[in-house]
Amino acid sequence: DGGITQSPKYLFRKEGQNVTLSCEQNLNHDAMYWYRQDPGQGLRLIYYSQIVNDFQKGDIAEGYSVSREKKESFPLTVTSAQKNPTAFYLCASSMETRTGGNQPQHFGDGTRLSIL
Amino acid sequence: KQEVTQIPAALSVPEGENLVLNCSFTDSAIYNLQWFRQDPGKGLTSLLLIQSSQREQTSGRLNASLDKSSGRSTLYIAASQPGDSATYLCAPQDFQKLVFGTGTRLLVSP
């Protein structure tokens, strides 16, 4: 079945540590996205990528980094510079949207990150 | 900057009721609007996408309408069931990005 796989489901970070969240899709989608969800708040966009080897900052990119070396993969690194990383992280993908438009986003099941 | 508001924040109804969830947004220059469902601790499931040129979209017991000029969308759920219990999120698309509301938490009791 086609879909988006996020791993791990739960992740714990120590002080000063970088951690990487995995997102893989087999939907042949061009665009991929990372969101952060905090209790009582809407999803906020961290980074997005419309094509391999290219990505743009979203609304809350500080303390995060990404790469897009393959179409299927869009890993997110939460760096030690992110002082409040505890949240639910969601990855999504869609068909190409460089021209804007009407392609639905499909989501993975999320990774819950906590601080030790 | 696009801001999205969903009312009510929470809703509890008995099984079988028809109900309406509301979504308003401040910038009407959108490409489309998506409605999602989120179960506790899970990712989002896309329910409906309404293109900016459309007025409504239907899928089974769900009907979503869009009034772009007034910045409003509604999700109508007919004959609600306990399995409909979840948080419902609306998200207008600004060019390449979705902007999310905080959702309506729905509980349908048997």
Side-chain angles (χ1 to χ4, degrees):
Chain A
D1 286 339
I4 300 173
T5 301
Q6 290 188 241
S7 62
K9 190 174 177 67
Y10 300 97
L11 187 59
F12 298 90
R13 195 190 90 169
K14 295 179 181 178
E15 291 288 337
Q17 186 181 41
N18 293 350
V19 292
T20 298
L21 285 61
S22 170
C23 178
E24 303 275 335
Q25 55 98 0
N26 60 3
L27 299 168
N28 199 32
H29 285 170
D30 297 290
M32 297 186 75
Y33 309 81
W34 274 106
Y35 295 90
R36 169 180 172 141
Q37 187 175 34
D38 295 279
Q41 297 193 38
L43 276 72
R44 292 181 290 167
L45 183 64
I46 305 172
Y47 269 98
Y48 63 104
S49 168
Q50 301 295 312
I51 195 170
V52 174
N53 293 322
D54 187 43
F55 48 83
Q56 288 79 40
K57 293 182 179 180
D59 300 317
I60 54 165
E62 186 174 350
Y64 300 96
S65 66
V66 294
S67 62
R68 186 86 187 276
E69 297 177 1
K70 299 187 298 182
K71 186 176 184 178
E72 308 79 32
S73 178
F74 191 41
L76 173 74
T77 296
V78 184
T79 74
S80 57
Q82 173 48 248
K83 298 308 179 188
N84 184 24
T86 298
F88 190 47
Y89 290 86
L90 288 160
C91 177
S93 70
S94 69
M95 295 298 287
E96 181 269 335
T97 59
R98 274 172 289 168
T99 54
N102 300 302
Q103 307 298 335
Q105 289 191 17
H106 301 266
F107 283 76
D109 280 340
T111 292
R112 191 166 299 279
L113 176 62
S114 302
I115 297 299
L116 282 177
Chain B
K1 180 185 172 186
Q2 180 76 276
E3 293 184 4
V4 181
T5 303
Q6 290 189 246
I7 295 173
L11 184 62
S12 183
V13 300
E15 182 176 7
E17 276 203 7
N18 302 325
L19 49 98
V20 175
L21 309 181
N22 296 292
C23 171
S24 61
F25 47 95
T26 55
D27 186 350
S28 62
I30 63 171
Y31 281 78
N32 61 53
L33 185 142
Q34 267 189 273
W35 280 93
F36 294 90
R37 167 189 173 133
Q38 186 175 29
D39 293 290
K42 297 289 189 181
L44 277 61
T45 300
S46 180
L47 297 173
L48 290 164
L49 181 149
I50 313 176
Q51 298 183 17
S52 60
S53 58
Q54 295 179 315
R55 298 286 292 185
E56 65 179 63
Q57 191 70 254
T58 298
S59 175
R61 294 183 293 109
L62 305 179
N63 175 276
S65 67
L66 175 64
D67 184 343
K68 205 173 79 158
S69 61
S70 68
R72 297 184 185 204
S73 177
T74 61
L75 178 67
Y76 176 82
I77 303 177
S80 58
Q81 302 172 358
D84 295 330
S85 298
T87 296
Y88 291 81
L89 300 163
C90 76
Q93 183 168 341
D94 282 356
F95 190 48
Q96 295 169 339
K97 300 185 294 182
L98 292 177
V99 180
F100 284 85
T102 53
T104 293
R105 191 168 64 252
L106 173 65
L107 176 63
V108 181
S109 52

